[in-house]
Amino acid sequence: MNYYSLNKQSPSVSFSEATILGQAPDKGLYFPEIIPQVDKDLIENIEHISNEEIAYRVIKPYIGNEIPDEELFRIVSETVNFEIPLVPINESISSLELFHGPTLAFKDVGARFMSRCLSDFIKNGISTSLNTSVQHPSTSLRVVVLVATSGDTGGAVANGFYNVDGVEVVILYPSGKVSSVQEKQLTTLGKNIHALEVNGTFDDCQQLVKQAFADEALNKELFLTSANSINVARWLPQQFYYFFAYKQWKERGASPIICVPSGNFGNICAGILAHISGLPVQHFIAACNTNDTVPQFMLTQSYQPKSAVATISNAMDVGNPSNFIRILELFHHQFPQLKEKLSAYSITDDETKTTMKRVYDEYGYILDPHGAVGYLALEKYLQTHPSSKGMILETAHPVKFYDVVEPVLNQTIEFPPSVQQIINLQKQSTIINTNYQQLTEFLMEL
Ligand SMILES: *Cc1c(COP(=O)(O)O)cnc(C)c1O
């Protein structure tokens, strides 16, 4: 499979090149040249197929022969080796719990897959993975994975890459705007994991990262790559759990409405990709907090990026979602087709809190703030489609946001063992301003 740049100014590349480069030299996102179709058998007999096998069959066409079959099977098996249950909340809404992985968030799936692929390519020598058509001078240098996080990416990437030979990981996060559990997850590992605490917003962090990738002088010194959701090796494996959800979906006559709490729109974009590849889904809902760039676009057809606003569902505080362009590409930039498959809602913090409280009181189910945004968006949609049923993707464990959830529910949430281990460790971070010079100095001293 080859991948082209959505800016169309750079040559197409293989899967390994797209993984190593992250972003195309023309700053475009990579996109598969063909959308493969899954076997009918996979859908019809899905209840009898193991998760490893489903994941393998879904991802194989995207990798081709770039990773040997056995190795690829091992990678997907390690990627999905935790449970992903579909739990009913009430008659019409279920929750696909994506938070049973090592850092209690759905990003574990993409980060685990990507780190294992990249580690494989590094072992085989990066220069052999890079096609000569892409000019990249620094193939003999150490690989630095550079990531901006609004909360959950940092922990998942840190965990996925921890102790991986030959890779340094640098994580930029907005100071004071991630939860204390999230902060501990990305600042307490040490070794090859470095946390930069930025006095600014997530968009500032993302801007600094973009600037580093565009900096030719810096890229002669370091081999920079990204592990953000723009990387195809993080984006594509997120399709897996949409198939696992369908495997557990009991209403065989009617396919589900799937509601995805969305920030950078990588997760929902993977779901739409799975659907276009043959997975039955009736409709997708993008649930946003007050950062409503996409809900506004769906109303006006005019895309107006904004500055991010801080909310209690902070992993979705994104004013210019980078993956939305891939969704437009999936629909060939045809708005009517997009509108038929996708609705978007914007939910306020007050509504999010009331929803967490109401769902807990009525059904005894504890939602995290992101899941609560999803729940209310789905409920709003179902009010106008009363015969449909659906699911939310519960993207994080409520304990990651205990500072928000506990006072709302008036209830303490127990830390799972993975959190208990880190909560009392000392954070190790380097504080920087939104000053590019400070970032490059740090990188050069690694
Ligand atoms: C990252 C994240 C999101 C947003 O996912 P995108 O793929 O960026 O849209 C939603 N919820 C949680 C908990 C997250 O960590």
Side-chain angles (χ1 to χ4, degrees):
M1 173 76 78
N2 277 335
Y3 296 79
Y4 61 93
S5 163
L6 289 180
N7 283 353
K8 312 241 164 76
Q9 304 300 312
S10 295
S12 291
V13 297
S14 64
F15 174 75
S16 56
E17 288 175 290
T19 300
I20 292 164
L21 296 174
Q23 209 172 3
D26 65 5
K27 311 290 173 284
L29 272 62
Y30 282 119
F31 196 87
E33 281 186 339
I34 301 163
I35 308 295
Q37 294 297 301
V38 296
D39 285 349
K40 275 217 172 69
D41 161 70
L42 182 73
I43 301 301
E44 283 165 9
N45 296 315
I46 197 157
E47 284 148 283
H48 308 294
I49 305 176
S50 71
N51 283 2
E52 290 86 349
E53 174 84 20
I54 294 170
Y56 177 80
R57 285 167 69 174
V58 168
I59 206 72
K60 175 68 186 165
Y62 290 97
I63 316 289
N65 294 322
E66 292 183 61
I67 299 175
D69 288 353
E70 264 177 39
E71 179 68 3
L72 182 60
F73 197 83
R74 181 190 65 80
I75 291 175
V76 295
S77 303
E78 287 178 15
T79 301
V80 301
N81 75 352
F82 47 87
E83 57 167 338
I84 303 186
L86 183 66
V87 177
I89 298 179
N90 58 36
E91 278 277 282
S92 47
I93 299 183
S94 302
S95 167
L96 184 70
E97 295 185 347
L98 297 175
F99 55 71
H100 298 282
T103 71
L104 315 179
F106 80 92
K107 292 188 176 76
D108 281 324
V109 171
R112 282 156 85 84
F113 185 79
M114 181 190 164
S115 59
R116 284 159 178 77
C117 290
L118 193 61
S119 161
D120 222 54
F121 300 144
I122 290 170
K123 261 187 240 149
N124 296 332
I126 286 229
S127 42
T128 56
S129 301
L130 281 177
N131 185 315
T132 45
S133 65
V134 179
Q135 293 302 321
H136 211 290
S138 48
T139 47
S140 61
L141 297 172
R142 217 148 48 145
V143 177
V144 176
V145 173
L146 190 60
V147 185
T149 184
S150 57
D152 277 353
T153 303
V157 169
N159 196 282
F161 280 94
Y162 182 57
N163 256 342
V164 170
D165 269 350
V167 185
E168 298 294 324
V169 178
V170 177
I171 297 164
L172 284 76
Y173 71 98
S175 181
K177 295 191 178 67
V178 304
S179 84
S180 46
V181 175
Q182 287 175 328
E183 187 170 42
K184 286 291 162 85
Q185 285 178 333
L186 55 94
T187 58
T188 57
L189 285 166
K191 290 202 176 165
N192 60 328
I193 312 296
H194 313 273
L196 284 183
E197 185 174 350
V198 178
N199 285 317
T201 63
F202 168 65
D203 282 344
D204 292 327
C205 297
Q206 193 150 263
Q207 193 51 46
L208 286 169
V209 167
K210 279 186 184 157
Q211 206 172 337
F213 282 114
D215 182 338
E216 283 180 24
L218 182 68
N219 283 274
K220 288 203 173 87
E221 305 293 330
L222 291 172
F223 196 102
L224 286 184
T225 189
S226 122
N228 273 51
S229 55
I230 57 169
N231 195 300
V232 293
R234 271 199 56 199
W235 172 47
L236 297 171
Q238 297 181 108
Q239 295 177 90
F240 297 162
Y241 42 73
Y242 289 88
F243 287 88
F244 304 164
Y246 187 70
K247 180 177 169 178
Q248 300 170 75
W249 184 250
K250 299 292 178 235
E251 320 273 333
R252 276 294 169 258
S255 47
I257 314 286
I258 300 187
C259 179
V260 187
S262 294
N264 248 328
F265 280 68
N267 198 4
I268 193 168
C269 184
I272 295 171
L273 179 63
H275 171 61
I276 293 176
S277 305
L279 182 74
V281 179
Q282 201 176 325
H283 196 73
F284 284 93
I285 296 168
C288 300
N289 56 31
T290 44
N291 294 284
D292 65 349
T293 302
V294 172
Q296 282 303 320
F297 171 82
M298 295 307 291
L299 281 178
T300 62
Q301 291 190 52
S302 153
Y303 187 84
Q304 301 290 344
K306 303 176 180 178
S307 300
V309 179
T311 73
I312 57 169
S313 46
N314 64 35
M316 312 198 295
D317 293 350
V318 183
N320 186 10
S322 29
N323 278 287
F324 193 61
I325 184 79
R326 281 188 171 132
I327 295 183
L328 295 177
E329 187 77 0
L330 282 169
F331 290 97
H332 310 288
H333 297 262
Q334 299 296 311
F335 189 73
Q337 278 89 320
L338 171 67
K339 204 175 158 75
E340 211 175 280
K341 269 295 155 193
L342 178 74
S343 301
Y345 293 88
S346 165
I347 307 291
T348 66
D349 276 358
D350 279 347
E351 289 176 307
T352 307
K353 287 182 187 167
T354 334
T355 304
M356 286 182 342
K357 177 97 179 89
R358 178 165 56 87
V359 170
Y360 181 62
D361 289 347
E362 285 181 19
Y363 309 110
Y365 191 84
I366 302 181
L367 291 163
D368 96 290
H370 306 77
V373 168
Y375 185 93
L376 187 59
L378 179 54
E379 216 176 42
K380 286 187 183 209
Y381 180 85
L382 291 178
Q383 273 165 12
T384 52
H385 300 78
S387 59
S388 297
K389 295 184 180 188
M391 67 179 78
I392 57 160
L393 268 52
E394 185 36 304
T395 46
H397 193 294
V399 82
K400 289 192 95 168
F401 303 94
Y402 72 95
D403 352 27
V404 176
V405 179
E406 288 186 349
V408 172
L409 303 189
N410 203 6
Q411 163 86 27
T412 51
I413 306 172
E414 232 175 85
F415 286 153
S418 64
V419 176
Q420 270 166 22
Q421 280 170 18
I422 59 166
I423 204 71
N424 294 319
L425 297 179
Q426 188 69 33
K427 94 170 176 189
Q428 297 167 282
S429 69
T430 303
I431 300 175
I432 66 166
N433 293 318
T434 55
N435 173 330
Y436 182 62
Q437 190 73 26
Q438 276 184 293
L439 173 62
T440 49
E441 277 164 18
F442 183 85
L443 292 174
M444 293 310 295
E445 277 166 24
L446 276 180

